[in-house]
Amino acid sequence: MSTHQWNATAPSPPSYPEHIPPLGPKRCNIKCPFCNIQVITSISHTTTTRTHFFAFSSILCCCCVPYCMNSTRNTDHYCTSCHAFLGTYKK
């Protein structure tokens, strides 16, 4: 009889970069820490509590306007090469 020693290890979690430079409200030039390519980020705007607050506070006059304004929404940045999420600019 032979005894086998199993060396089971859990899969390692995905690696995240230690430092990503601050991101702003507009597209920015950055070296993607995931694919190491210099890219201009793609952005999308997400609705936040602030957006809902502005809509509620302007209920008497055009409550839908804050949902159309990027200044009341957060900006999410993505790599245009590998499509990795790079971070959020919170307003």
Side-chain angles (χ1 to χ4, degrees):
M1 255 168 104
S2 68
T3 58
H4 294 283
Q5 230 178 6
W6 293 92
N7 201 3
T9 58
S12 61
S15 61
Y16 293 101
E18 293 179 13
H19 176 70
I20 293 180
L23 302 168
K26 297 181 180 178
R27 296 173 56 158
C28 55
N29 191 353
I30 189 172
K31 183 175 183 179
C32 175
F34 296 98
C35 66
N36 292 320
I37 297 176
Q38 191 75 26
V39 296
I40 295 177
T41 60
S42 64
I43 58 173
S44 67
H45 298 283
T46 55
T47 304
T48 64
T49 305
R50 181 179 177 181
T51 311
H52 299 307
F53 173 75
F54 281 116
F56 181 73
S57 65
S58 62
I59 201 156
L60 296 177
C61 86
C62 304
C63 66
C64 63
V65 171
Y67 294 101
C68 301
M69 297 170 46
N70 291 337
S71 62
T72 61
R73 301 189 290 170
N74 286 348
T75 305
D76 294 333
H77 288 263
Y78 298 90
C79 175
T80 52
S81 178
C82 68
H83 307 289
F85 173 73
L86 299 174
T88 299
Y89 174 74
K90 295 184 179 181
K91 299 182 178 164

Coordinates of all heavy atoms in Angstrom, one line a residue:
M1 N 0.8 -1.2 0.0 CA 0.0 0.0 0.0 C 0.9 1.2 0.0 O 1.8 1.4 0.8 CB -0.8 0.0 1.3 CG -2.2 -0.3 1.0 SD -3.1 -0.7 2.5 CE -4.0 0.7 2.7
S2 N 0.6 2.1 -0.9 CA 1.3 3.3 -0.9 C 0.4 4.5 -0.4 O -0.8 4.5 -0.7 CB 1.8 3.6 -2.3 OG 0.7 3.9 -3.2
T3 N 1.0 5.4 0.2 CA 0.3 6.6 0.7 C 0.6 7.7 -0.2 O 1.8 8.0 -0.5 CB 0.6 6.9 2.1 OG1 2.0 7.1 2.2 CG2 0.2 5.8 3.1
H4 N -0.4 8.4 -0.6 CA -0.3 9.6 -1.5 C -0.6 10.8 -0.7 O -1.5 10.9 0.1 CB -1.2 9.6 -2.7 CG -0.9 8.4 -3.6 ND1 0.1 8.5 -4.5 CD2 -1.6 7.3 -3.8 CE1 0.1 7.4 -5.2 NE2 -0.9 6.6 -4.8
Q5 N 0.3 11.8 -0.8 CA 0.0 13.1 -0.2 C -0.5 14.0 -1.2 O 0.1 14.3 -2.2 CB 1.4 13.6 0.4 CG 1.3 14.0 1.8 CD 2.6 14.5 2.3 OE1 3.6 14.6 1.5 NE2 2.7 14.7 3.6
W6 N -1.7 14.5 -0.9 CA -2.3 15.5 -1.9 C -2.0 16.9 -1.4 O -2.1 17.2 -0.2 CB -3.8 15.3 -1.9 CG -4.2 14.0 -2.5 CD1 -4.4 12.8 -1.9 CD2 -4.3 13.7 -3.9 NE1 -4.7 11.8 -2.8 CE2 -4.7 12.4 -4.0 CE3 -4.2 14.5 -5.0 CZ2 -4.9 11.8 -5.3 CZ3 -4.5 13.9 -6.2 CH2 -4.8 12.6 -6.4
N7 N -1.5 17.7 -2.3 CA -1.2 19.0 -2.0 C -2.2 19.9 -2.6 O -2.0 20.5 -3.7 CB 0.2 19.4 -2.5 CG 0.8 20.5 -1.8 OD1 0.2 21.1 -0.9 ND2 2.0 20.9 -2.3
A8 N -3.4 20.0 -2.0 CA -4.5 20.8 -2.5 C -4.4 22.2 -2.1 O -4.2 22.5 -1.0 CB -5.8 20.2 -2.1
T9 N -4.4 23.1 -3.1 CA -4.4 24.5 -2.8 C -5.6 25.2 -3.4 O -6.1 24.8 -4.5 CB -3.1 25.2 -3.4 OG1 -3.1 25.0 -4.8 CG2 -1.9 24.6 -2.7
A10 N -6.1 26.1 -2.8 CA -7.3 26.9 -3.3 C -6.8 27.7 -4.5 O -5.7 28.2 -4.5 CB -7.9 27.7 -2.2
P11 N -7.7 27.9 -5.4 CA -7.3 28.8 -6.5 C -7.1 30.2 -6.0 O -7.8 30.7 -5.1 CB -8.5 28.8 -7.5 CG -9.6 28.2 -6.7 CD -9.0 27.4 -5.6
S12 N -6.1 30.9 -6.6 CA -5.9 32.3 -6.1 C -6.9 33.2 -6.6 O -7.4 33.1 -7.7 CB -4.5 32.7 -6.6 OG -4.4 32.7 -8.0
P13 N -7.3 34.2 -5.8 CA -8.2 35.2 -6.3 C -7.7 36.0 -7.4 O -6.4 36.1 -7.5 CB -8.5 36.0 -5.0 CG -7.3 35.9 -4.2 CD -6.8 34.5 -4.5
P14 N -8.5 36.7 -8.2 CA -8.0 37.5 -9.3 C -7.1 38.6 -8.7 O -7.4 39.2 -7.6 CB -9.3 38.1 -10.0 CG -10.4 37.8 -9.0 CD -10.0 36.7 -8.1
S15 N -6.1 39.0 -9.4 CA -5.2 40.0 -8.9 C -5.7 41.4 -9.4 O -6.1 41.6 -10.5 CB -3.8 39.8 -9.4 OG -3.8 39.8 -10.8
Y16 N -5.7 42.3 -8.4 CA -6.1 43.7 -8.7 C -4.9 44.6 -8.5 O -4.0 44.3 -7.7 CB -7.2 44.1 -7.7 CG -8.5 43.3 -8.0 CD1 -8.9 42.3 -7.1 CD2 -9.3 43.6 -9.0 CE1 -10.0 41.6 -7.4 CE2 -10.5 42.9 -9.3 CZ -10.8 41.9 -8.4 OH -12.0 41.2 -8.7
P17 N -4.8 45.6 -9.3 CA -3.7 46.5 -9.2 C -3.6 47.2 -7.9 O -4.7 47.4 -7.3 CB -3.9 47.5 -10.4 CG -5.3 47.4 -10.7 CD -5.8 46.0 -10.3
E18 N -2.4 47.5 -7.4 CA -2.3 48.1 -6.1 C -2.6 49.6 -6.2 O -3.2 50.2 -5.3 CB -0.8 48.0 -5.6 CG -0.5 46.5 -5.3 CD 0.9 46.4 -4.8 OE1 1.6 47.4 -4.5 OE2 1.4 45.3 -4.7
H19 N -2.3 50.2 -7.3 CA -2.6 51.7 -7.4 C -3.1 52.0 -8.8 O -2.4 51.7 -9.8 CB -1.3 52.4 -7.1 CG -1.4 53.9 -7.3 ND1 -2.2 54.7 -6.4 CD2 -0.9 54.7 -8.2 CE1 -2.1 55.9 -6.8 NE2 -1.4 56.0 -7.9
I20 N -4.2 52.7 -8.9 CA -4.7 53.3 -10.1 C -4.7 54.8 -9.9 O -5.2 55.2 -8.9 CB -6.1 52.7 -10.5 CG1 -6.0 51.2 -10.8 CG2 -6.7 53.5 -11.7 CD1 -7.3 50.6 -11.2
P21 N -4.2 55.6 -10.8 CA -4.2 57.0 -10.6 C -5.6 57.5 -10.5 O -6.6 56.9 -11.0 CB -3.5 57.6 -11.9 CG -3.2 56.4 -12.7 CD -3.6 55.2 -12.1
P22 N -5.8 58.7 -9.9 CA -7.2 59.2 -9.8 C -7.8 59.5 -11.1 O -7.2 59.9 -12.1 CB -6.9 60.6 -9.1 CG -5.5 60.6 -8.7 CD -4.8 59.5 -9.4
L23 N -9.1 59.1 -11.2 CA -9.8 59.3 -12.4 C -10.8 60.5 -12.3 O -11.2 60.8 -11.2 CB -10.6 58.0 -12.7 CG -9.8 56.7 -12.8 CD1 -10.7 55.5 -12.8 CD2 -9.0 56.8 -14.1
G24 N -11.0 61.1 -13.4 CA -11.9 62.3 -13.4 C -13.2 62.1 -14.0 O -13.6 61.0 -14.4
P25 N -14.0 63.2 -14.3 CA -15.3 63.0 -14.8 C -15.3 62.8 -16.4 O -16.3 62.5 -16.9 CB -16.0 64.4 -14.5 CG -14.8 65.3 -14.4 CD -13.7 64.5 -13.8
K26 N -14.1 63.0 -17.0 CA -14.0 62.8 -18.4 C -13.1 61.6 -18.8 O -12.4 61.1 -17.9 CB -13.5 64.1 -19.1 CG -14.4 65.3 -18.9 CD -13.9 66.5 -19.6 CE -14.8 67.6 -19.4 NZ -14.3 68.9 -20.0
R27 N -13.1 61.2 -20.0 CA -12.2 60.2 -20.5 C -10.7 60.6 -20.2 O -10.4 61.8 -20.3 CB -12.4 59.9 -21.9 CG -13.7 59.4 -22.3 CD -13.9 59.3 -23.8 NE -12.9 58.5 -24.3 CZ -12.9 57.9 -25.5 NH1 -14.0 58.0 -26.2 NH2 -11.9 57.1 -25.9
C28 N -9.9 59.6 -19.8 CA -8.5 60.0 -19.5 C -7.5 59.0 -20.1 O -7.9 57.9 -20.3 CB -8.3 60.2 -18.0 SG -8.8 58.8 -17.0
N29 N -6.3 59.5 -20.3 CA -5.2 58.7 -20.8 C -4.6 57.9 -19.6 O -4.1 58.6 -18.7 CB -4.2 59.6 -21.5 CG -3.3 58.8 -22.3 OD1 -3.2 57.6 -22.3 ND2 -2.5 59.5 -23.1
I30 N -4.5 56.6 -19.7 CA -4.0 55.8 -18.6 C -3.4 54.5 -19.1 O -3.8 54.0 -20.1 CB -5.2 55.5 -17.6 CG1 -4.6 54.9 -16.3 CG2 -6.2 54.6 -18.2 CD1 -5.7 54.7 -15.2
K31 N -2.4 54.0 -18.4 CA -1.9 52.7 -18.7 C -2.7 51.7 -17.9 O -2.7 51.7 -16.7 CB -0.4 52.6 -18.3 CG 0.2 51.3 -18.7 CD 1.7 51.2 -18.5 CE 2.3 49.9 -19.0 NZ 3.7 49.8 -18.8
C32 N -3.4 50.8 -18.6 CA -4.3 49.8 -17.9 C -3.4 48.9 -17.1 O -2.5 48.2 -17.6 CB -5.1 49.1 -19.0 SG -6.1 47.7 -18.2
P33 N -3.7 48.7 -15.8 CA -2.9 47.8 -15.0 C -3.2 46.4 -15.2 O -2.5 45.5 -14.8 CB -3.3 48.2 -13.6 CG -4.6 48.9 -13.7 CD -4.7 49.5 -15.1
F34 N -4.3 46.1 -16.0 CA -4.6 44.7 -16.3 C -4.0 44.2 -17.6 O -3.5 43.1 -17.6 CB -6.2 44.5 -16.4 CG -6.9 44.8 -15.1 CD1 -7.4 46.1 -14.9 CD2 -6.9 43.9 -14.1 CE1 -8.1 46.4 -13.7 CE2 -7.6 44.2 -12.9 CZ -8.1 45.4 -12.7
C35 N -4.0 45.0 -18.6 CA -3.4 44.5 -19.9 C -2.1 45.3 -20.2 O -1.5 45.0 -21.2 CB -4.4 44.7 -21.0 SG -4.9 46.4 -21.4
N36 N -1.7 46.3 -19.4 CA -0.5 47.1 -19.6 C -0.4 47.8 -20.9 O 0.7 47.9 -21.5 CB 0.8 46.2 -19.4 CG 0.9 45.8 -17.9 OD1 0.7 46.5 -17.0 ND2 1.3 44.5 -17.7
I37 N -1.5 48.3 -21.4 CA -1.6 49.0 -22.7 C -2.0 50.4 -22.3 O -2.9 50.6 -21.5 CB -2.5 48.4 -23.7 CG1 -2.0 47.0 -24.1 CG2 -2.7 49.2 -24.9 CD1 -2.9 46.2 -25.0
Q38 N -1.4 51.4 -23.0 CA -1.7 52.8 -22.8 C -3.0 53.1 -23.6 O -3.1 52.9 -24.8 CB -0.6 53.7 -23.3 CG -0.8 55.2 -22.9 CD -0.4 55.4 -21.5 OE1 0.3 54.7 -20.8 NE2 -1.0 56.5 -20.9
V39 N -4.1 53.5 -22.9 CA -5.4 53.6 -23.5 C -6.1 54.9 -23.1 O -5.7 55.5 -22.0 CB -6.4 52.5 -23.2 CG1 -5.8 51.2 -23.8 CG2 -6.6 52.3 -21.7
I40 N -7.1 55.4 -23.8 CA -8.0 56.4 -23.3 C -9.2 55.7 -22.8 O -9.8 54.9 -23.6 CB -8.3 57.4 -24.4 CG1 -7.0 58.1 -24.8 CG2 -9.4 58.4 -24.0 CD1 -7.2 59.1 -26.0
T41 N -9.6 55.9 -21.6 CA -10.7 55.1 -21.0 C -12.0 55.4 -21.7 O -12.2 56.4 -22.2 CB -10.8 55.4 -19.5 OG1 -11.1 56.8 -19.4 CG2 -9.6 55.1 -18.7
S42 N -12.9 54.4 -21.7 CA -14.2 54.6 -22.1 C -15.0 54.8 -20.8 O -14.6 54.3 -19.7 CB -14.8 53.4 -22.8 OG -14.8 52.3 -22.0
I43 N -16.1 55.6 -20.8 CA -16.8 55.9 -19.6 C -18.3 55.6 -19.8 O -18.8 55.6 -20.9 CB -16.6 57.4 -19.2 CG1 -17.1 58.3 -20.3 CG2 -15.2 57.7 -18.8 CD1 -17.1 59.8 -20.0
S44 N -18.9 55.4 -18.6 CA -20.4 55.3 -18.6 C -20.8 56.0 -17.3 O -20.1 56.1 -16.3 CB -20.9 53.9 -18.6 OG -20.5 53.2 -17.4
H45 N -22.0 56.7 -17.4 CA -22.5 57.4 -16.2 C -23.6 56.6 -15.5 O -24.4 56.0 -16.2 CB -23.0 58.8 -16.7 CG -22.0 59.6 -17.3 ND1 -21.1 60.3 -16.6 CD2 -21.7 59.9 -18.6 CE1 -20.3 61.0 -17.5 NE2 -20.7 60.7 -18.7
T46 N -23.5 56.6 -14.2 CA -24.4 55.8 -13.4 C -25.2 56.7 -12.5 O -24.7 57.7 -11.9 CB -23.7 54.7 -12.6 OG1 -22.7 55.3 -11.8 CG2 -23.1 53.7 -13.4
T47 N -26.5 56.4 -12.3 CA -27.4 57.1 -11.4 C -27.0 56.8 -10.0 O -26.8 55.7 -9.6 CB -28.8 56.7 -11.7 OG1 -29.1 56.9 -13.1 CG2 -29.8 57.6 -10.9
T48 N -27.1 57.9 -9.2 CA -26.7 57.7 -7.8 C -27.8 58.3 -6.9 O -28.8 58.9 -7.4 CB -25.4 58.5 -7.4 OG1 -25.6 59.9 -7.7 CG2 -24.3 58.0 -8.3
T49 N -27.7 58.3 -5.6 CA -28.6 58.9 -4.7 C -28.7 60.4 -4.9 O -29.7 61.0 -4.8 CB -28.2 58.6 -3.2 OG1 -28.0 57.2 -3.1 CG2 -29.2 59.2 -2.2
R50 N -27.6 61.0 -5.3 CA -27.6 62.4 -5.6 C -28.5 62.7 -6.8 O -29.2 63.8 -6.7 CB -26.1 62.9 -5.9 CG -26.0 64.3 -6.2 CD -24.5 64.7 -6.5 NE -24.5 66.1 -6.8 CZ -23.4 66.7 -7.1 NH1 -22.2 66.0 -7.1 NH2 -23.4 68.0 -7.4
T51 N -28.5 61.9 -7.8 CA -29.4 62.1 -8.9 C -30.8 62.1 -8.5 O -31.6 62.9 -8.9 CB -29.1 61.0 -10.0 OG1 -27.8 60.9 -10.2 CG2 -29.9 61.3 -11.3
H52 N -31.2 61.1 -7.6 CA -32.5 61.0 -7.2 C -32.9 62.2 -6.3 O -34.0 62.7 -6.3 CB -32.7 59.7 -6.4 CG -32.5 58.5 -7.2 ND1 -33.1 58.2 -8.4 CD2 -31.7 57.4 -7.0 CE1 -32.7 57.1 -8.9 NE2 -31.8 56.5 -8.0
F53 N -32.0 62.7 -5.5 CA -32.2 63.8 -4.6 C -32.5 65.1 -5.5 O -33.5 65.8 -5.2 CB -31.0 64.1 -3.7 CG -31.1 65.4 -3.0 CD1 -32.0 65.5 -1.9 CD2 -30.4 66.5 -3.3 CE1 -32.1 66.7 -1.2 CE2 -30.5 67.7 -2.6 CZ -31.4 67.8 -1.5
F54 N -31.7 65.3 -6.5 CA -32.0 66.5 -7.4 C -33.3 66.3 -8.1 O -34.0 67.3 -8.3 CB -30.8 66.7 -8.4 CG -29.6 67.3 -7.8 CD1 -28.4 66.7 -7.7 CD2 -29.7 68.6 -7.3 CE1 -27.3 67.3 -7.2 CE2 -28.6 69.2 -6.7 CZ -27.4 68.6 -6.7
A55 N -33.6 65.1 -8.5 CA -34.9 64.9 -9.2 C -36.1 65.2 -8.2 O -37.1 65.8 -8.6 CB -35.0 63.5 -9.7
F56 N -36.0 64.7 -7.0 CA -37.0 64.9 -6.0 C -37.2 66.4 -5.6 O -38.3 66.9 -5.5 CB -36.7 64.1 -4.8 CG -37.8 64.2 -3.7 CD1 -39.0 63.6 -3.9 CD2 -37.6 64.9 -2.6 CE1 -40.0 63.8 -2.9 CE2 -38.5 65.1 -1.6 CZ -39.8 64.5 -1.8
S57 N -36.0 67.1 -5.5 CA -36.1 68.5 -5.1 C -36.6 69.4 -6.2 O -37.0 70.5 -5.9 CB -34.7 68.9 -4.6 OG -33.8 68.9 -5.7
S58 N -36.5 68.9 -7.5 CA -37.1 69.7 -8.6 C -38.4 69.2 -9.1 O -38.6 69.3 -10.3 CB -36.0 69.8 -9.7 OG -35.7 68.5 -10.2
I59 N -39.1 68.5 -8.2 CA -40.3 67.8 -8.7 C -41.4 68.8 -9.3 O -42.1 68.4 -10.1 CB -40.9 67.0 -7.5 CG1 -41.9 66.0 -8.1 CG2 -41.7 67.9 -6.5 CD1 -42.0 64.8 -7.1
L60 N -41.3 70.0 -8.9 CA -42.3 71.0 -9.4 C -42.0 71.5 -10.8 O -42.8 71.9 -11.5 CB -42.4 72.2 -8.4 CG -43.0 71.9 -7.1 CD1 -43.0 73.1 -6.2 CD2 -44.4 71.3 -7.2
C61 N -40.7 71.4 -11.1 CA -40.3 71.9 -12.4 C -39.5 70.8 -13.2 O -39.7 70.5 -13.6 CB -39.6 73.2 -12.4 SG -37.9 73.4 -12.1
C62 N -39.5 70.1 -13.8 CA -38.7 69.2 -14.6 C -37.9 68.2 -13.8 O -36.7 68.3 -13.7 CB -37.8 69.9 -15.6 SG -38.7 71.0 -16.7
C63 N -38.6 67.3 -13.2 CA -37.9 66.3 -12.4 C -37.1 65.3 -13.1 O -36.2 64.6 -12.5 CB -38.9 65.6 -11.5 SG -40.0 64.5 -12.4
C64 N -37.2 65.2 -14.4 CA -36.4 64.3 -15.2 C -35.1 64.9 -15.6 O -34.2 64.1 -16.1 CB -37.2 63.8 -16.5 SG -37.6 65.2 -17.6
V65 N -34.9 66.2 -15.5 CA -33.6 66.8 -15.9 C -32.4 66.2 -15.2 O -31.4 65.9 -15.9 CB -33.7 68.3 -15.7 CG1 -32.4 69.0 -15.9 CG2 -34.8 68.9 -16.7
P66 N -32.4 66.0 -13.9 CA -31.2 65.4 -13.3 C -30.7 64.1 -13.9 O -29.6 63.7 -13.8 CB -31.5 65.3 -11.8 CG -32.6 66.3 -11.6 CD -33.4 66.3 -12.9
Y67 N -31.7 63.3 -14.4 CA -31.3 62.0 -15.0 C -30.6 62.2 -16.4 O -30.0 61.2 -16.9 CB -32.6 61.1 -15.1 CG -33.1 60.7 -13.8 CD1 -34.3 61.4 -13.3 CD2 -32.5 59.7 -13.0 CE1 -34.8 61.0 -12.0 CE2 -33.0 59.4 -11.8 CZ -34.1 60.1 -11.3 OH -34.6 59.7 -10.1
C68 N -30.7 63.3 -16.9 CA -30.1 63.6 -18.2 C -28.8 64.4 -18.1 O -28.0 64.5 -19.0 CB -31.0 64.5 -19.1 SG -32.6 63.7 -19.4
M69 N -28.5 64.8 -16.9 CA -27.3 65.6 -16.6 C -26.2 64.7 -16.1 O -26.4 64.0 -15.1 CB -27.6 66.7 -15.6 CG -28.6 67.7 -16.1 SD -29.1 68.9 -14.8 CE -27.6 69.3 -14.0
N70 N -25.0 64.7 -16.7 CA -23.9 63.9 -16.2 C -23.3 64.4 -14.9 O -22.7 63.7 -14.2 CB -22.8 63.8 -17.3 CG -23.3 63.0 -18.5 OD1 -24.2 62.1 -18.3 ND2 -22.7 63.2 -19.6
S71 N -23.6 65.7 -14.6 CA -23.0 66.3 -13.4 C -23.6 65.8 -12.2 O -23.1 66.0 -11.1 CB -23.2 67.8 -13.5 OG -24.5 68.2 -13.5
T72 N -24.8 65.1 -12.2 CA -25.4 64.5 -11.1 C -25.2 63.0 -11.0 O -25.8 62.3 -10.1 CB -26.9 64.8 -11.1 OG1 -27.5 64.2 -12.2 CG2 -27.2 66.3 -11.0
R73 N -24.4 62.4 -11.9 CA -24.2 61.0 -11.9 C -22.7 60.7 -11.8 O -21.8 61.5 -12.2 CB -24.7 60.4 -13.2 CG -26.2 60.7 -13.4 CD -26.8 59.9 -14.5 NE -26.3 60.5 -15.8 CZ -26.6 59.9 -17.0 NH1 -27.3 58.8 -17.0 NH2 -26.1 60.4 -18.1
N74 N -22.4 59.5 -11.3 CA -21.0 59.0 -11.2 C -20.5 58.6 -12.5 O -21.3 58.3 -13.4 CB -20.9 57.9 -10.2 CG -21.0 58.3 -8.8 OD1 -20.9 59.4 -8.4 ND2 -21.1 57.3 -7.9
T75 N -19.2 58.6 -12.7 CA -18.5 58.2 -14.0 C -17.7 57.0 -13.8 O -16.8 57.0 -13.0 CB -17.6 59.4 -14.5 OG1 -18.4 60.6 -14.6 CG2 -17.1 59.0 -15.9
D76 N -18.1 55.9 -14.4 CA -17.3 54.6 -14.4 C -16.3 54.6 -15.6 O -16.7 54.9 -16.7 CB -18.2 53.4 -14.4 CG -19.1 53.3 -13.2 OD1 -18.7 53.8 -12.2 OD2 -20.2 52.7 -13.3
H77 N -15.1 54.2 -15.3 CA -14.0 54.1 -16.3 C -13.7 52.7 -16.6 O -13.6 51.9 -15.7 CB -12.8 54.9 -15.8 CG -12.9 56.3 -15.8 ND1 -12.4 57.1 -16.8 CD2 -13.4 57.2 -14.8 CE1 -12.7 58.4 -16.5 NE2 -13.3 58.4 -15.3
Y78 N -13.5 52.4 -17.9 CA -13.2 51.1 -18.4 C -12.0 51.1 -19.4 O -11.9 52.1 -20.1 CB -14.4 50.4 -19.1 CG -15.6 50.2 -18.2 CD1 -16.5 51.2 -18.1 CD2 -15.7 49.1 -17.4 CE1 -17.6 51.0 -17.2 CE2 -16.8 48.9 -16.6 CZ -17.8 49.9 -16.5 OH -18.8 49.7 -15.7
C79 N -11.2 50.1 -19.5 CA -10.2 50.0 -20.4 C -10.8 49.7 -21.8 O -11.7 48.9 -21.9 CB -9.2 48.9 -20.1 SG -7.9 48.6 -21.3
T80 N -10.3 50.5 -22.8 CA -10.9 50.2 -24.2 C -10.3 49.0 -24.9 O -10.8 48.6 -25.9 CB -10.7 51.5 -25.0 OG1 -9.3 51.9 -25.0 CG2 -11.5 52.7 -24.5
S81 N -9.2 48.5 -24.3 CA -8.5 47.3 -24.9 C -9.1 46.0 -24.3 O -9.6 45.2 -25.0 CB -7.0 47.4 -24.7 OG -6.4 46.3 -25.2
C82 N -9.0 45.9 -23.0 CA -9.4 44.6 -22.4 C -10.8 44.7 -21.7 O -11.3 43.8 -21.1 CB -8.4 44.1 -21.4 SG -8.2 45.2 -19.9
H83 N -11.4 45.9 -21.7 CA -12.7 46.2 -21.1 C -12.8 46.0 -19.6 O -13.8 45.8 -19.0 CB -13.8 45.4 -21.8 CG -13.8 45.6 -23.3 ND1 -14.2 46.8 -23.9 CD2 -13.4 44.8 -24.3 CE1 -14.0 46.6 -25.2 NE2 -13.5 45.4 -25.5
A84 N -11.6 46.0 -18.9 CA -11.6 45.9 -17.4 C -12.1 47.2 -16.8 O -11.9 48.3 -17.3 CB -10.2 45.6 -17.0
F85 N -12.8 47.0 -15.7 CA -13.3 48.1 -14.9 C -12.1 48.7 -14.2 O -11.4 48.0 -13.5 CB -14.4 47.7 -13.9 CG -14.8 48.7 -12.9 CD1 -15.6 49.8 -13.4 CD2 -14.4 48.7 -11.6 CE1 -16.0 50.8 -12.5 CE2 -14.8 49.7 -10.7 CZ -15.6 50.7 -11.2
L86 N -11.9 50.0 -14.3 CA -10.7 50.7 -13.8 C -11.1 51.5 -12.5 O -10.2 51.7 -11.7 CB -10.0 51.6 -14.8 CG -9.5 50.9 -16.0 CD1 -9.0 51.9 -17.1 CD2 -8.4 49.9 -15.7
G87 N -12.3 52.0 -12.4 CA -12.6 52.7 -11.2 C -13.8 53.7 -11.5 O -14.3 53.8 -12.6
T88 N -14.2 54.4 -10.4 CA -15.3 55.3 -10.5 C -14.9 56.6 -10.0 O -14.3 56.8 -9.0 CB -16.5 54.8 -9.6 OG1 -16.9 53.5 -10.1 CG2 -17.7 55.7 -9.7
Y89 N -15.4 57.7 -10.7 CA -15.2 59.0 -10.3 C -16.6 59.4 -9.6 O -17.6 59.4 -10.3 CB -14.9 60.0 -11.4 CG -14.9 61.4 -11.0 CD1 -13.9 62.0 -10.3 CD2 -16.0 62.3 -11.4 CE1 -13.9 63.3 -9.9 CE2 -16.0 63.6 -11.0 CZ -15.0 64.1 -10.2 OH -15.0 65.4 -9.9
K90 N -16.5 59.6 -8.3 CA -17.8 59.9 -7.6 C -17.9 61.4 -7.4 O -17.0 62.1 -7.1 CB -17.7 59.2 -6.2 CG -17.8 57.7 -6.3 CD -17.8 57.0 -5.0 CE -17.9 55.5 -5.2 NZ -17.9 54.8 -3.9
K91 N -19.1 61.8 -7.6 CA -19.4 63.2 -7.5 C -20.1 63.5 -6.2 O -20.6 62.7 -5.5 CB -20.3 63.7 -8.6 CG -19.6 63.4 -9.9 CD -20.4 63.8 -11.1 CE -19.5 63.6 -12.3 NZ -20.1 63.5 -13.5

